Amino acid sequence: SQQGEEDPQALSIQEGENATMNCSYKTSINNLQWYRQNSGRGLVHLILIRSNEREKHSGRLRVTLDTSKKSSSLLITASRAADTASYFCASGLPGGTSYGKLTFGQGTILTVHP
Amino acid sequence: NAGVTQTPKFQVLKTGQSMTLQCAQDMNHEYMSWYRQDPGMGLRLIHYSVGAGITDQGEVPNGYNVSRSTTEDFPLRLLSAAPSQTSVYFCASSYRDTTYEQYFGPGTRLTVT
């Protein structure tokens, strides 16, 4: 079964607005990563946050991690039409051979209207 | 650097046929993996490798074989294709394991009739 669940499944906003996507996971993790996928393309890494971190920024992206609630959120500020894509969270399990397994959520489809 | 490359981009197979999806990376990454993506779903891990000669199963390994004879290449073999294997297949690599960012290839769209 999928480790990560994302919410909402789809999000439609106007350019300039902020977009927030949430990810929940079930077991302990080593890190949580966010990826973007444009239609028909491969995934592109956005940001990685480790289990001992609470917040991380990269340009217009802000990611938070709450390990007590087993959840993460991705905030895109001042969104642009070019941000239209699917966004996936992926959780990495802790320790040993589990470092080989990354589990993806089902994704959030973000549409930014010009 | 070309990054992660996958061939072919598209493939149509008949039930029972076998084929190999190719994946190569030129970043000297130790870790490589294969995922499948079905409509409306996230990616599911098929197999992964943490170095040449070392492979292990992911979440959905049945019907697929892998081997890793070199650091650069990680082919995925479909032994006897089934309609349930119709999907988009992505290969990914990273420096060492899943504690590092993953670099994805462009994908192979496979249809099994």
Side-chain angles (χ1 to χ4, degrees):
Chain A
S1 62
Q2 296 280 351
Q3 160 82 317
E5 297 291 333
E6 294 188 59
D7 171 63
Q9 291 189 351
L11 181 60
S12 182
I13 60 174
Q14 296 293 129
E15 238 179 359
E17 294 180 338
N18 295 342
T20 300
M21 288 158 267
N22 302 296
C23 170
S24 62
Y25 56 91
K26 296 176 184 174
T27 64
S28 296
I29 60 171
N30 169 275
N31 68 85
L32 192 132
Q33 305 178 31
W34 286 89
Y35 290 83
R36 184 187 74 231
Q37 183 181 34
N38 290 92
S39 181
R41 309 291 292 273
L43 278 73
V44 174
H45 181 265
L46 295 176
I47 200 164
L48 182 153
I49 185 165
R50 302 200 184 276
S51 59
N52 61 353
E53 298 175 307
R54 291 297 166 257
E55 187 170 313
K56 207 162 182 180
H57 295 256
S58 177
R60 294 184 296 112
L61 306 180
R62 172 177 167 253
V63 168
T64 61
L65 180 64
D66 187 336
T67 54
S68 67
K69 294 181 179 178
K70 292 187 171 56
S71 66
S72 174
S73 67
L74 170 68
L75 169 67
I76 304 174
T77 59
S79 62
R80 306 165 180 166
D83 294 328
T84 294
S86 293
Y87 291 82
F88 295 90
C89 66
S91 51
L93 299 178
T97 58
S98 295
Y99 282 156
K101 297 183 179 180
L102 197 62
T103 306
F104 283 80
Q106 82 279 11
T108 293
I109 300 170
L110 173 65
T111 303
V112 182
H113 300 280
Chain B
N1 286 350
V4 179
T5 58
Q6 291 183 239
T7 56
K9 286 188 174 6
F10 301 94
Q11 184 70 49
V12 179
L13 289 178
K14 294 188 188 309
T15 297
Q17 287 185 318
S18 63
M19 79 158 296
T20 299
L21 308 185
Q22 301 292 343
C23 174
Q25 52 89 12
D26 61 358
M27 297 172 282
N28 202 31
H29 283 170
E30 289 295 323
Y31 179 87
M32 296 185 74
S33 57
W34 277 101
Y35 293 87
R36 60 178 288 173
Q37 183 177 34
D38 299 298
M41 297 183 69
L43 279 68
R44 291 184 291 171
L45 181 65
I46 304 172
H47 286 286
Y48 66 93
S49 168
V50 296
I54 307 169
T55 64
D56 206 346
Q57 296 181 350
E59 184 184 353
V60 288
N62 291 343
Y64 307 95
N65 270 1
V66 292
S67 60
R68 183 105 178 264
S69 56
T70 67
T71 298
E72 295 78 20
D73 300 297
F74 191 44
L76 177 72
R77 282 183 289 278
L78 279 70
L79 308 173
S80 177
S84 61
Q85 293 179 304
T86 293
S87 189
V88 181
Y89 291 84
F90 289 100
C91 178
S93 74
S94 74
Y95 170 63
R96 184 180 294 169
D97 52 35
T98 60
T99 64
Y100 294 84
E101 67 176 278
Q102 306 293 304
Y103 293 79
F104 280 84
T108 294
R109 186 174 295 273
L110 175 69
T111 302
V112 183
T113 61

